Amino acid sequence: MEGYDYAKCIEISKRVRWDIEKDVIKGREFDLTQKFLPDGLALMDQLEFLNEEERKFLSQIQGRTYANMFGFVERFIVAKILDITRGHWLKDQIALEALVRFCDEELKHQELFRRIEPMMGSVMPPGYEFPHQPDLVASAVLKRSTWTVLALILEIELFTQEHYRQSIEPDESLSPLFKDTFFFHMKEETTHALMDELEWSREDEKLTPVERDQAVDQLIGLVAEVDGLLQSQSKADVGYFLKCRNPVLGNDETQRIRDGVLKAYRWQYIFSGVGHPRFKKLFDRLTTESQQQRVSQALSPLM
Ligand SMILES: [Fe+2]
Ligand SMILES: [Fe+2]
């Protein structure tokens, strides 16, 4: 965002800082009479044949996966941001402090998401699975160029804020603990996206046109891997839903749930980020028209 720099990020970081127990959890527990993920993110309008209780449970499953996904992506986010601090070690100490705070916040976020997963598990029926190993996936992500990884990090940190403001905040029927988790999370994410923009531009200046072109290809490969993970998680989540609720469904309705949850996950983790105006603006500035077309073509089958 224009007019923001690392000093401003430090100022915001100090002002919004929060504590997991004292500010977010406050001795509360999750309550299954309330929804977790709002309809706007869970894309519930396309599953009109489910009754109120079934919709609520599907929102809770998607909300649990949503929290797990954040704890999971933050593993490679911290590793990459720590890696890029190297460029500031002996130079801009303000930038260094801002980026160290960024990493400190993401480590705390991972702790928050590790803390709430068993809290959700203790009230939800057994059988939920989120089998992805954060270190394994992070190692695979970090094999890509820094330019590529920063592109992925920026889209994630933009959609975090967008989801809260557009969908979570206005929904009155959500679990207050779920809502607060993502309210406090979002507050510390605003500076992250600002720093991602600064660092992605900085990294871009170091690349030759050939290296940038390869980085675009790597981004296409990375999004395909993210999609593979979304396909397997949406399948697991729908399997858990059907096993626990065993709803009475018409002919094609099981498939409609599978398609609907996958579509929701693709919206949550890919399209709401790459379609964000700030992502598009910077991506369009850093890439050529033919590179932009390559990315659009790769994304179009996932729509
Ligand atoms: Fe975070
Ligand atoms: Fe972040």
Side-chain angles (χ1 to χ4, degrees):
M1 211 187 280
E2 276 140 36
Y4 279 80
D5 57 14
Y6 296 101
K8 184 78 184 164
C9 291
I10 295 175
E11 184 204 312
I12 297 171
S13 164
K14 287 180 178 170
R15 182 155 38 87
V16 304
R17 188 160 184 85
W18 45 264
D19 178 80
I20 292 177
E21 300 297 333
K22 193 164 65 67
D23 299 309
V24 185
I25 298 184
K26 297 194 282 194
R28 293 177 292 180
E29 282 171 18
F30 287 101
D31 176 354
L32 291 193
T33 65
Q34 296 154 335
K35 279 192 297 184
F36 292 175
L37 205 68
D39 291 355
L41 288 174
L43 304 188
M44 283 306 181
D45 56 344
Q46 51 188 348
L47 302 176
E48 76 296 334
F49 51 90
L50 295 178
N51 68 31
E52 214 35 57
E53 284 306 305
E54 289 160 353
R55 296 160 75 88
K56 198 189 290 171
F57 185 50
L58 199 50
S59 130
Q60 289 158 353
I61 299 169
Q62 287 205 41
R64 187 168 172 186
T65 289
Y66 190 73
N68 281 326
M69 284 290 284
F70 277 105
F72 165 79
V73 298
E74 286 173 343
R75 188 66 56 90
F76 69 74
I77 294 178
V78 175
K80 179 44 72 186
I81 302 303
L82 268 178
D83 182 32
I84 61 170
T85 62
R86 183 179 289 272
H88 301 287
W89 279 2
L90 303 179
K91 293 173 190 156
D92 184 347
Q93 299 297 287
I94 302 291
L96 181 61
E97 180 181 342
L99 292 164
V100 167
R101 284 178 170 275
F102 181 158
C103 294
D104 178 52
E105 287 158 2
E106 292 293 29
L107 287 165
K108 181 178 67 180
H109 300 174
Q110 288 183 62
E111 189 191 340
L112 168 65
F113 296 122
R114 277 199 303 273
R115 174 90 171 77
I116 66 168
E117 159 52 33
M119 290 173 67
M120 291 175 168
S122 71
V123 292
M124 290 173 75
Y128 172 86
E129 280 179 31
F130 188 86
H132 322 286
Q133 297 299 316
D135 285 342
L136 264 183
V137 176
S139 304
V141 170
L142 295 168
K143 286 198 179 99
R144 270 68 177 213
S145 70
T146 293
W147 189 99
T148 305
V149 181
L150 281 171
L152 181 65
I153 295 176
L154 174 62
E155 78 98 17
I156 293 170
E157 297 192 314
L158 287 171
F159 76 56
T160 309
Q161 300 168 58
E162 194 71 4
H163 291 177
Y164 183 78
R165 296 201 178 98
Q166 296 294 325
S167 306
I168 300 174
E169 205 273 330
D171 195 328
E172 301 284 326
S173 64
L174 300 189
S175 146
L177 177 53
F178 188 88
K179 204 166 184 168
D180 274 355
T181 298
F182 289 97
F183 168 65
F184 285 101
H185 184 239
M186 174 276 298
K187 278 173 83 161
E188 286 186 344
E189 289 294 328
T190 56
T191 61
H192 298 182
L194 296 167
M195 287 184 268
D196 298 333
E197 287 169 326
L198 294 168
E199 290 297 332
W200 191 19
S201 304
R202 215 173 104 87
E203 180 63 23
D204 184 74
E205 286 167 15
K206 298 180 197 163
L207 301 190
T208 64
V210 173
E211 287 169 332
R212 188 174 303 103
D213 206 53
Q214 288 165 347
V216 170
D217 281 339
Q218 289 183 4
L219 183 60
I220 290 169
L222 196 50
V223 172
E225 274 178 36
V226 170
D227 190 61
L229 192 143
L230 300 180
Q231 290 187 38
S232 80
Q233 190 58 37
S234 64
K235 202 171 158 212
D237 287 354
V238 172
Y240 172 64
F241 170 76
L242 295 173
K243 207 171 105 207
C244 296
R245 280 292 181 273
N246 198 16
V248 181
L249 297 171
N251 267 346
D252 62 341
E253 286 171 350
T254 306
Q255 193 55 43
R256 280 181 64 195
I257 300 174
R258 291 199 179 103
D259 294 344
V261 173
L262 177 59
K263 188 176 173 194
Y265 288 0
R266 284 172 165 166
W267 165 249
Q268 289 161 33
Y269 305 106
I270 299 175
F271 291 106
S272 61
V274 297
H276 192 288
R278 277 170 61 190
F279 183 87
K280 280 168 71 172
K281 189 177 171 195
L282 187 50
F283 183 70
D284 287 356
R285 180 163 75 73
L286 302 184
T287 52
T288 64
E289 218 161 284
S290 85
Q291 288 165 342
Q292 292 154 25
Q293 274 171 9
R294 251 157 57 210
V295 172
S296 306
Q297 275 167 9
L299 288 175
S300 66
L302 312 183
M303 292 285 264

